[in-house]
Structure formats: structure tokens, C-alpha cells
């Protein structure tokens, strides 16, 4: 599958916002992309990627907040295209591509988010035994130095 990444831009906002109107699961799991959110992801230390397919359709949004070498990842897959392996394809492509800008990628996942837990396991993340202070599962992906 042809998956590309480009910076998420202001023109992506209206379309991305419609995903939240159509899907309660997304609102439960991911920050709504209001103007404050957009200001946050545009800060120099942070990043947000739009993942598009070969027809240039937005298929996923990957927000990565950087703290030193660690990128803290939130991923949202286009609602109607979930559950068919696309999330796995996008995250794998991210780890093989733009993810290399970090030493470690970390996700914080609610213990009841079965899809996200299965996704990170499938993509080679390690799930730490102890949750963070908010009860989220810490999923870590470390790039090999070789
Ligand atoms: C999490 C998310 C990105 C996964 O994308 P996806 O395209 O649905 O995932 P895939 O189809 O590639 O499936 C990945 C794994 O999850 C499993 N899975 C998918 N949907 C599932 C569901 N509803 N319940 C349980 N497992 C599920 C798949 O079986 C697969 O596991 P396997 O590889 O062991 O078979 C997507 O569901 C999403 O955007 N969810 C809402 C936002 C969110 O929760 N983001 C993560 C916040 S940390």
C-alpha cells in the first residue's frame, strides 16, 4: 500500500474535524483539533503528520510531542477505514520513515483501548508492566542504533 506522510496543515483541519463529529470513539481517545490544539502541534518541538494514500485522501493523523529524544505519539485512523489493517500499515510506515527522527516513540494507551493496544503490539512496541500516573499503559518503541 502506498502510504505517504506530509506535515498536517491548516487546510487539513476542517476535514479532520468531521471525523470527530462522526465518531464518539475518537472524541474519547484523542484531543479535538481546535485552534489551541493546532497551535500546540505547530510549536517547533512538536510535530503532526498527515498520512495520505495515493489518491491524496487523509487516512490518518499522527501527533508527536517531543521531549528530548522521545516522541509521544497519538494516532487517529479515518473512522470508516478502521479495523482492516490500515492502522498497522500506517504506523509501520511511520516507524520506517519519519519516526526515525526520534530515539524512542512512546504511546500512552487507555487499558480499555483494545484496538490501540493490539496495534502497538503488532508494530513491535513493548508494553511496560506498570501504568503511568493516570493509569495509562505505556507502550515503547526504541529504534535500534545499528
Ligand atoms: C487505534 C487505531 C489507530 C487502530 O487502527 P486500525 O486501522 O483500526 O487498526 P488495524 O486494523 O491495523 O488493527 C490493528 C490491531 O487491532 C485489532 N483491532 C482493530 N480494531 C479492533 C477493535 N475494535 N477491538 C479489538 N481489536 C481491534 C486488530 O485485530 C489488529 O490486531 P492483530 O494485528 O493482533 O490482528 C484506530 O482504531 C483508531 O483511530 N482509534 C481511535 C483513536 C485511538 O484510539 N487512537 C489511539 C490513541 S493512543
Amino acid at each position: 500500500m502506498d502510504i505517504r506522510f506530509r506535515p498536517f496543515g491548516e487546510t487539513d483541519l476542517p476535514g479532520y474535524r468531521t471525523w470527530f463529529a462522526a465518531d464518539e470513539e475518537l472524541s474519547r481517545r484523542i484531543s479535538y483539533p481546535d485552534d489551541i490544539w493546532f497551535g500546540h502541534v505547530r510549536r517547533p518541538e512538536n510535530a503532526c503528520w498527515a498520512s495520505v494514500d495515493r489518491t491524496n485522501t487523509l487516512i490518518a493523523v499522527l501527533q508527536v510531542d517531543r521531549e528530548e529524544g522521545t516522541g509521544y505519539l497519538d494516532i487517529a485512523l479515518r473512522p470508516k477505514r478502521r479495523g482492516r489493517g490500515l492502522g498497522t500499515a500506517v504506523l509501520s510506515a511511520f516507524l520506517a520513515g519519519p519516526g526515525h527522527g526520534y530515539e524512542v516513540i512512546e504511546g500512552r494507551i487507555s487499558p480499555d483501548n483494545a484496538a490501540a493496544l493490539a496495534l502497538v503490539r503488532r508494530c513491535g512496541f513493548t508494553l511496560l508492566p506498570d501504568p503511568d500516573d493516570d493509569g495509562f499503559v505505556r507502550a515503547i518503541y526504541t529504534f535500534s542504533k545499528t
Side-chain angles (χ1 to χ4, degrees):
M1 165 137 208
D2 185 6
I3 293 169
R4 298 167 204 188
F5 296 95
R6 58 167 172 74
F8 182 97
E10 199 157 8
T11 55
D12 293 309
L13 274 172
Y16 184 38
R17 284 174 178 157
T18 67
W19 295 10
F20 288 76
D23 182 63
E24 278 180 21
E25 173 76 359
L26 201 51
S27 306
R28 246 169 18 107
R29 306 296 189 191
I30 296 276
S31 302
Y32 181 78
D34 58 15
D35 293 347
I36 293 171
W37 174 87
F38 191 55
H40 172 83
V41 300
R42 283 214 294 190
R43 289 166 64 163
E45 68 274 27
N46 298 333
C48 189
W49 277 274
S51 174
V52 296
D53 65 13
R54 68 187 153 73
T55 66
N56 214 25
T57 302
L58 185 65
I59 48 174
V61 175
L62 293 89
Q63 174 186 345
V64 191
D65 291 357
R66 182 189 286 274
E67 270 179 41
E68 300 181 350
T70 299
Y72 291 92
L73 171 71
D74 266 339
I75 178 170
L77 217 283
R78 189 178 194 91
K80 283 191 176 154
R81 295 182 66 178
R82 283 188 210 140
R84 287 184 265 160
L86 193 54
T88 303
V90 167
L91 185 53
S92 301
F94 176 77
L95 295 171
H100 276 279
Y102 306 87
E103 291 161 26
V104 172
I105 299 288
E106 178 167 339
R108 302 274 174 110
I109 301 171
S110 175
D112 71 349
N113 192 345
L117 290 170
L119 170 73
V120 294
R121 273 199 195 97
R122 174 66 61 192
C123 290
F125 284 65
T126 300
L127 304 190
L128 300 190
D130 296 321
D132 72 5
D133 292 344
D134 299 315
F136 287 86
V137 177
R138 297 180 61 198
I140 310 281
Y141 186 94
T142 306
F143 292 92
S144 76
K145 293 203 178 357
T146 53

